[in-house]
Amino acid sequence: MAAPNRRTPGQHWIVRFLPLQTLSDAQDLAIRYKKVEGLQVYVRERKRLVIPAVVLIVIISIACAAGVVVFLAETYSLLVLPALLLAPVILVASLFVQTYVFFYWLENRALAHALGHRPKAAQGALAAWLLRKWGVDMGTAPPVPWILAAVVLFAPLVMLAYVELTAVLVLIVVAILMPILFARFDR
């Protein structure tokens, strides 16, 4: 006789905060990119916009990893080794989060382009303002893994801001402008 599959309350709490669904969604997105020719064509036709966006994503990931190292090294010298060991994890994880959100957004744009219309009206005041004033259609917002983004993007950027505020402000402004400019020049 098989024992019933019971979850303890602690297990449920842990599973809820693990990025397992995000990893599964990212894998599905990669499979769709490989199999759906329309998505591949959409990205290929816009490679002059995609390449600078990906370069910016890499720069932000490097800044996140460097921010952790510099902040922890300045805080206490014994934290240099753990910071250096943590840096590649932050680099890869922040790269993952940003590329996941960016390519999910691209998939939504490719779908709207293929259908010849927008699946939803502009979401939010900023998206409506951009559409009305500049003719920039931001499209459907992608799902954001907020907990993962907070740990591997926002916290490292806050650490870097403690050391070099100007660099972080420039990165944030450029990161905000990147999808707006992409949408503006995506005709």
Side-chain angles (χ1 to χ4, degrees), residues 2-74:
N5 185 8
R6 296 183 187 189
R7 289 185 279 168
T8 62
Q11 180 186 12
H12 177 66
W13 179 86
I14 292 170
V15 169
R16 200 171 21 150
F17 289 104
L18 289 175
L20 299 177
Q21 186 60 44
T22 302
L23 293 172
S24 175
D25 290 347
Q27 185 178 20
D28 293 343
L29 179 62
I31 290 169
R32 284 192 306 271
Y33 180 78
K34 284 178 106 175
K35 290 185 176 181
V36 178
E37 188 176 337
L39 181 57
Q40 294 171 9
V41 169
Y42 181 85
V43 172
R44 243 183 283 129
E45 288 176 350
R46 287 150 182 85
K47 69 180 171 186
R48 66 177 173 70
L49 298 171
V50 171
I51 291 172
V54 170
V55 168
L56 177 64
I57 288 170
V58 170
I59 290 170
I60 292 171
S61 294
I62 291 169
C64 288
V68 169
V69 171
V70 172
F71 176 79
L72 292 177
E74 275 193 8

Side-chain angles (χ1 to χ4, degrees), residues 130-185:
L130 287 170
L131 184 60
R132 190 175 60 251
K133 292 290 184 182
W134 289 5
V136 174
D137 183 7
M138 295 303 294
T140 305
V144 178
W146 289 110
I147 294 173
L148 197 55
V151 172
V152 300
L153 271 176
F154 304 138
L157 286 175
V158 168
M159 290 178 190
L160 184 59
Y162 179 78
V163 178
E164 185 56 46
L165 181 61
T166 307
V168 172
L169 291 176
V170 168
L171 279 176
I172 290 171
V173 168
V174 173
I176 291 170
L177 287 176
M178 184 268 296
I180 295 170
L181 292 173
F182 187 103
R184 176 73 175 121
F185 294 112

